[in-house]
Amino acid sequence: MQTLTELLVSILLVFQSLLGLPSVDTAQPPRESETATVLRVIDGDTIIVDLDGVEERVRYIGIDTPERARDGKSECWAEEATAENEAWVEGKKVQLIPDISDRDTYGRLLRYVYVDDTFVQAKLIEAGVAKAIRIEPDTAEYRTLKDLETTARMEEKGLWGNCFR
């Protein structure tokens, strides 16, 4: 289902085409990346990195994973999500790519995370250990992540086959 904004943009593009107006480039400008080394994995969607000699907590944009125990009881599939994240990033050099927001309300950096050319958020969703989430204004990769989630759900991977039956 399209959001109202997407619907309005579609209507405007149709009118633009009918009136013969020049098109506007809607592609996002290239996003710069930062290279960091992962020092520790907190959970399935949060890591601590060394970024230019500064320890930073990074929250992955566009996904949510089950929470690990704070009161002795983890959410379903939380340990598996953490382990999957560790397998991808623990001790590795990563590329951190911003979207619109730099930090969340907890002071964590908000970034898309890559190891070499591998989009970590996508791999976590494909494994069934993460859900796609849309939090404005950081939505550049939402559609890609949501499509991967749909496939993981249909295939009942990870939490979709074990927590949501």
Side-chain angles (χ1 to χ4, degrees), residues 46-112:
T46 309
I47 56 177
I48 295 179
V49 300
D50 177 335
L51 181 61
D52 297 326
V54 177
E55 220 173 87
E56 290 277 5
R57 190 173 290 245
V58 177
R59 173 65 167 85
Y60 293 5
I61 299 172
I63 68 168
D64 189 35
T65 61
E67 296 298 320
R68 291 177 83 182
R70 288 198 177 110
D71 59 358
K73 186 172 188 225
S74 293
E75 291 180 357
C76 183
W77 223 249
E79 297 306 321
E80 291 83 351
T82 302
E84 185 75 16
N85 194 19
E86 286 172 341
W88 282 105
V89 302
E90 184 86 44
K92 295 183 181 170
K93 290 232 182 272
V94 294
Q95 294 301 118
L96 304 175
I97 300 176
D99 198 328
I100 303 297
S101 305
D102 188 51
R103 294 183 184 269
D104 66 7
T105 56
Y106 303 104
R108 301 175 294 190
L109 289 175
L110 295 171
R111 298 292 187 268
Y112 296 108

Side-chain angles (χ1 to χ4, degrees), residues 64-66 76-77 124-133 145-146 148-165:
D64 189 35
T65 61
C76 183
W77 223 249
L124 295 174
I125 288 177
E126 285 176 342
V129 300
K131 302 185 281 191
I133 58 170
L145 297 173
K146 190 64 177 177
L148 292 170
E149 178 190 304
T150 299
T151 301
R153 280 177 181 249
M154 288 188 316
E155 295 174 358
E156 294 187 341
K157 288 187 175 177
L159 61 92
W160 307 113
N162 292 283
C163 305
F164 299 113
R165 288 191 154 189

Side-chain angles (χ1 to χ4, degrees), residues 10-54:
S10 296
I11 292 169
L12 287 172
L13 290 173
V14 168
F15 279 115
Q16 177 184 10
S17 168
L18 292 173
L19 296 173
L21 298 173
S23 65
V24 177
D25 183 9
T26 57
Q28 291 193 351
R31 296 174 284 172
E32 293 188 22
S33 70
E34 308 153 295
T35 301
T37 302
V38 176
L39 301 174
R40 191 165 75 251
V41 171
I42 301 299
D43 58 24
D45 54 33
T46 309
I47 56 177
I48 295 179
V49 300
D50 177 335
L51 181 61
D52 297 326
V54 177

